[in-house]
Amino acid sequence: MTIRSIVILTGAGISAESGVPTFRGPDGLWEGHRVEDVATPQAFRRDPVLVQRFYDARRAALRNVMPNAAHLALARLDAEWPGELLLVTQNVDDLHERAGSRRLLHMHGELNSALCAACGAATPWTGDLGDHPPCPRCAAPRLRPDIVWFGEMPYHMDRIGDAIAACDLFVSIGTSGAVYPAAGFVEWARDAGASTLELNLDPSAGTPMFDEARHGPATQLVPAWVEMMLRARSY
Ligand code: NAD
């Protein structure tokens, strides 16, 4: 089948080899915290100091990591692929954009953005939020991480839905298939008649849904897949 339109979904696994820990480590915790304690609106209401400190640390840690071969390969595909392409990431790090990807949507928000709980404005932000800086737009000291927490609506869902409905190939990279709605994208793609490919370290919860799954580290699998796509226009 000739492939023209590609949608790629990435998760925490693509950044693991850059030194950014994945969501659920072997201990079931995210950087030592239960997800419910740092990644829900209820957690933020209950203990804003803990939650701000957690994301301030994640934001600061971005300065010490670099895009890896998988991020760079996807940026090359973005630059050289002549057809439609959309990279949807669940990641809140900035490694895809630093690698050079342009056709990119962050469906779960970004560490380097602050959201004002008073006026709703989103502002590029690389410093701390825990010391209550004023919103650059309305001056209220109510900035929070611009992160989509559990129970909140992911960003860009209309554009993502349209792209998946029109794609020929859907590729999922480094995601556990445990967080919805992203975990359901493979079914949307199948319903649209697209081929589906998983690239992940291990078999994931979603593996049986894919036409094909390749297992191994993203820094090996992704550059090899991109090379194949650019050479043969088929996966
Ligand atoms: P997850 O932690 O649930 O799953 C990560 C997946 O990556 C696992 O299936 C694992 O087998 C795989 N993996 C680990 N190392 C890999 C490697 N070297 N190569 C290929 N695959 C590898 O992550 P998720 O599915 O993205 O779950 C999501 C949530 O975690 C998202 O909402 C995201 O916002 C948040 N999160 C983001 C980051 C980040 O921005 N880098 C980091 C941690 C958590």
Side-chain angles (χ1 to χ4, degrees):
M1 174 184 177
T2 306
I3 307 288
R4 219 191 77 77
S5 175
I6 310 170
V7 174
I8 302 160
L9 171 71
T10 62
I14 197 166
S15 297
E17 290 166 86
S18 288
V20 183
T22 57
F23 200 32
R24 292 180 193 81
D27 51 5
L29 300 176
W30 185 9
E31 303 263 5
H33 293 274
R34 294 188 321 145
V35 169
E36 309 86 77
D37 292 338
V38 291
T40 66
Q42 293 82 352
F44 187 54
R45 277 196 293 276
R46 203 167 47 235
D47 194 345
V49 174
L50 170 78
V51 173
Q52 293 283 24
R53 219 184 271 141
F54 176 80
Y55 287 99
D56 282 350
R58 306 281 77 72
R59 195 176 306 106
L62 291 184
R63 293 184 213 125
N64 302 321
V65 297
M66 297 286 285
N68 64 44
H71 300 104
L72 293 167
L74 292 184
R76 177 181 168 219
L77 185 66
D78 187 1
E80 297 182 21
W81 183 252
E84 296 294 318
L85 180 146
L86 180 65
L87 174 55
V88 178
T89 189
Q90 298 170 89
N91 292 346
V92 295
D93 66 48
D94 60 350
L95 295 176
H96 282 307
E97 44 272 63
R98 278 163 58 192
S101 281
R102 295 281 171 267
R103 292 178 275 183
L104 167 69
L105 295 177
H106 279 272
M107 64 177 289
H108 289 165
E110 299 172 60
L111 284 168
N112 284 337
S113 177
L115 183 66
C116 179
C119 74
T123 308
W125 203 269
T126 53
D128 286 349
L129 290 174
D131 43 4
H132 309 293
C135 169
R137 196 211 255 175
C138 76
R142 295 192 54 204
L143 295 175
R144 55 160 272 188
D146 191 3
I147 302 289
V148 177
W149 286 323
F150 285 95
E152 297 182 321
M153 179 66 81
Y155 293 147
H156 313 298
M157 289 307 291
D158 287 348
R159 283 173 69 187
I160 294 168
D162 289 349
I164 293 176
C167 78
D168 305 308
L169 174 63
F170 173 79
V171 185
S172 171
I173 302 172
T175 175
S176 61
V179 178
Y180 279 83
F185 290 173
V186 59
E187 291 175 69
W188 300 5
R190 286 169 64 110
D191 289 348
S195 301
T196 56
L197 170 67
E198 176 183 65
L199 305 177
N200 200 54
L201 189 61
D202 318 298
S204 76
T207 299
M209 293 300 300
F210 288 84
D211 296 324
E212 188 188 337
R214 299 177 193 166
H215 297 128
T219 53
Q220 290 175 23
L221 294 184
V222 179
W225 170 70
V226 166
E227 188 63 41
M228 203 183 310
M229 288 301 297
L230 288 174
R231 218 172 326 119
R233 300 277 169 85
S234 101
Y235 76 103

